[in-house]
Amino acid sequence: YPIPEDLIDEMKQRGFEVGIHGLHHDGNLFRSRKVFLDHAVKINESLKKYDAVGFRSPSMYHNLEWIHELNIEYDASTFDTDPFEPQPDAAGTIFPFWVPGRNGKPGYVELPYTLPQDFLTFILLQERDTRLWQSKLNWIAEKGGMCLLNTHPDYIDFSNAAAKIDQFPSTYYEEFLTHVKEKKEDRYWHALPRDVVQFWKKKNMQNKFK
């Protein structure tokens, strides 16, 4: 599909970060080593073109060893726990973690998402408010962890009519952001993923990081 270059430029100017999300959303990226390496060439081209340093695999499929072939500073293709994912093996942590380099390839930071995805929460489980997100957020805050939420604009009804079974009103998302801003004021760092990665490297790796 066509890439809206002007939209990407506008997002960057407004302080957002652009990452790469694979080439095709068909779940075949890790079908074989050859397929992955073929895709990796084009993914790396896109990373360079858009000055992106982060990657997330379609459908959260992942092979942290193969991902070393990508020229990235971080990957976000895992989760702390989510048994409903096609590849449900969990990272088991609410913190970023280091994936060491292999065979001359540099390492990278892994950023697992730590709140249930919107599709699971509002479409499959049919939740009608954000209490599930808020409850998990409170627990993460108690532990001093990272709150990373993966949402999809195609499931959000911006008209707030919520007439389709596979959509939820945008007010849910706004409600959650308002909760974070008001209830967690002065208790969180609202940062871009690339900034979290740089902080993590400086804080945890120090002279050990190369």
Side-chain angles (χ1 to χ4, degrees):
Y1 53 86
I3 304 297
E5 306 284 350
D6 55 341
L7 176 59
I8 291 178
D9 290 340
E10 179 187 350
M11 290 173 62
K12 289 182 177 180
Q13 291 172 7
R14 295 177 59 186
F16 292 94
E17 178 181 346
V18 174
I20 303 301
H21 191 42
L23 297 179
H24 309 285
H25 211 293
D26 55 11
N28 289 324
L29 178 60
F30 297 98
R31 184 177 60 186
S32 71
R33 176 72 171 170
K34 182 181 184 303
V35 169
F36 181 84
L37 291 176
D38 288 343
H39 283 217
V41 173
K42 295 182 178 180
I43 291 173
N44 282 331
E45 290 175 355
S46 295
L47 285 163
K48 182 178 180 179
K49 178 178 180 180
Y50 297 109
D51 190 29
V53 297
F55 175 78
R56 170 177 283 134
S57 173
S59 300
M60 305 305 294
Y61 285 109
H62 48 271
N63 182 319
L64 300 188
E65 181 65 29
W66 291 6
I67 289 176
H68 281 111
E69 302 296 334
L70 303 182
N71 300 326
I72 56 173
E73 294 183 16
Y74 72 87
D75 173 63
S77 304
T78 59
F79 35 85
D80 63 338
T81 177
D82 193 339
F84 296 93
E85 281 299 307
Q87 184 181 343
D89 57 321
T93 180
I94 55 173
F95 300 93
F97 62 91
W98 180 246
V99 182
R102 295 286 189 275
N103 300 321
K105 298 290 185 179
Y108 59 87
V109 175
E110 183 67 23
L111 301 178
Y113 72 71
T114 56
L115 291 186
Q117 290 197 45
D118 50 357
F119 181 78
L120 169 64
T121 304
F122 303 119
I123 309 304
L124 293 184
L125 299 182
Q126 292 288 293
E127 294 288 331
R128 288 295 175 259
D129 54 44
T130 62
R131 283 181 293 182
L132 185 61
W133 280 353
Q134 293 178 27
S135 176
K136 181 68 178 292
L137 172 67
N138 291 337
W139 182 81
I140 293 173
E142 290 177 2
K143 307 301 180 182
M146 174 182 64
C147 176
L148 198 162
L149 174 61
N150 186 17
T151 60
H152 305 76
D154 43 334
Y155 298 135
I156 300 177
D157 178 12
F158 291 96
S159 71
N160 290 316
K164 297 182 179 180
I165 193 171
D166 60 348
Q167 289 187 323
F168 64 92
S170 61
T171 50
Y172 289 1
Y173 192 47
E174 181 179 359
E175 173 188 327
F176 179 68
L177 294 179
T178 300
H179 171 82
V180 173
K181 185 176 181 180
E182 294 181 351
K183 301 300 183 181
K184 306 299 179 183
E185 186 176 9
D186 299 326
R187 295 182 58 196
Y188 67 94
W189 176 36
H190 183 197
L192 294 174
R194 67 196 312 163
D195 295 334
V196 172
V197 168
Q198 292 305 314
F199 172 83
W200 191 94
K201 288 179 179 179
K202 182 178 180 181
K203 183 75 173 179
N204 295 279
M205 302 302 289
Q206 299 178 357
N207 295 332
K208 296 180 181 180
F209 176 75
K210 294 184 178 179

